[in-house]
């Protein structure tokens, strides 16, 4: 607990120091500070961090709308490279799935759409069937794109390039990669929801209407209370998923269930919290000058990335049916 508190304090201090509500793209200052503190490779065995440590870091990143690919680099790109017995890229990276066409010699060609932080990455770790390829992004043609939160979602086109490294993919890599991405997105959503609530509480205490702060009106208090319950649910479900993944491993049905439930619940919370936050702020919350948009647009974008509510609700249903009447309670609670 003490370690997590120290980690949260460190992360908050880094993100607060470089916070710029008008900037887009990679926050190089925050990235450098995170790298120097070991946060960009937190779950690397040489660093020794756990998934629960990563949960603390990503929740803080979501709350501050941090413009750094921490989840992509550590939980996805770094993990897949290490799982294939390859050296993790030294710098921002991400793992994606795709089908590369073989060319002359050892060259490959592949087009990867909507790659998170594509233009800022040093490498892409590609899961291509039963093999893992590390591709240098300097060899890629980049077509820039973005999600609604203005985070880079670029198309990277590799034509006849030689991979930096290649290795055999571990068993179940595709499923684990999808679960890791959904878990990371859930944690970021929980943080963004907390950030939206904090901004709403602050604004309600400052905004005067009829001679008193709007926070003193019962209707506003009820909305903020509802948002608070949604934030608590998102935090609890995502933290539980991280804990289950650490203790049981990603191949365990309990982890699949926990991650599926967390991503679905955090997506539901995202919708509710963003709606309430904008109701409390009124028209000013939709302006570019106000920083509420940084978290609300991330809530809208992230709830649909790495599987939306419908997709993960289907997974929850499938797991529940497969468990049957006798297995449902142990699946939900993690107890016999």
């Amino acid at each position: 607990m003490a370690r997590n508190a120290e980690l949260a304090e460190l992360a908050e201090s880094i993100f607060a120091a470089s916070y710029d509500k008008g900037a887009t793209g990679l926050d190089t200052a925050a990235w450098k500070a995170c790298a120097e503190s070991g946060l960009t490779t937190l779950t690397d065995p040489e660093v020794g961090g756990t998934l629960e440590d990563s949960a603390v870091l990503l929740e803080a990143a979501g709350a501050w709308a941090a413009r750094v690919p921490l989840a992509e680099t550590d939980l996805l790109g770094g993990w897949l490279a290490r799982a294939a017995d390859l050296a993790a890229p030294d710098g921002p990276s991400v793992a994606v799935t795709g089908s590369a066409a073989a060319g002359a010699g050892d060259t490959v060609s592949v087009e990867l759409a909507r790659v998170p932080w594509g233009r800022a990455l040093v490498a892409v770790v590609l899961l291509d069937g039963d093999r893992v390829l590390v591709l240098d992004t300097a060899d890629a043609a980049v077509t820039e794109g973005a999600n609604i939160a203005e985070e880079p979602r670029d198309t990277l086109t590799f034509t006849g390039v030689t991979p930096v490294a290649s290795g055999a993919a571990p068993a179940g890599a595709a499923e684990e990669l999808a679960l890791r991405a959904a878990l990371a997105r859930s944690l970021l959503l929980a943080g963004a929801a907390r950030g939206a609530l904090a901004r709403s509480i602050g604004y309600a205490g400052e905004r005067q209407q009829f001679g008193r702060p709007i926070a003193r009106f019962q209707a506003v208090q009820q909305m903020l209370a509802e948002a608070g319950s949604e934030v608590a649910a998102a935090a609890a479900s995502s933290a539980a998923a991280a804990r289950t993944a650490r203790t049981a491993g990603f191949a365990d049905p309990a982890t699949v269930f926990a991650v599926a439930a967390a991503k679905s619940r955090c997506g539901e919370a995202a919708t509710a919290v963003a709606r309430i936050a904008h109701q409390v702020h009124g028209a000013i919350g939709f302006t570019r000058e106000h920083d509420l948009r940084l978290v609300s647009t991330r809530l809208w974008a992230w709830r649909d990335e790495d599987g939306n509510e419908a997709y993960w609700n289907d997974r929850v249903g499938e797991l529940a049916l497969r468990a049957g009447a006798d297995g449902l309670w142990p699946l939900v609670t993690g107890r016999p």
Side-chain angles (χ1 to χ4, degrees), residues 67-78:
R67 295 175 289 107
V68 283
L70 295 171
E72 290 82 359
T73 299
D74 184 27
L75 294 186
L76 304 183

Side-chain angles (χ1 to χ4, degrees), residues 31-122:
W31 177 264
K32 180 180 179 181
C34 286
E36 291 173 347
S37 302
L39 301 183
T40 59
T41 54
L42 186 58
T43 61
D44 187 317
E46 293 186 0
V47 178
T50 68
L51 286 170
E52 287 168 295
D53 293 329
S54 186
V56 173
L57 174 63
L58 295 181
E59 198 271 349
W64 282 95
R67 295 175 289 107
V68 283
L70 295 171
E72 290 82 359
T73 299
D74 184 27
L75 294 186
L76 304 183
W79 165 77
L80 184 57
R82 292 190 298 270
D85 292 324
L86 304 174
D90 184 15
S93 67
V94 70
V96 298
T97 58
S99 181
D106 295 326
T107 64
V108 298
S109 298
V110 64
E111 181 175 284
L112 305 173
R114 295 191 64 77
V115 176
W117 299 96
R119 75 199 71 164
L121 304 178
V122 300

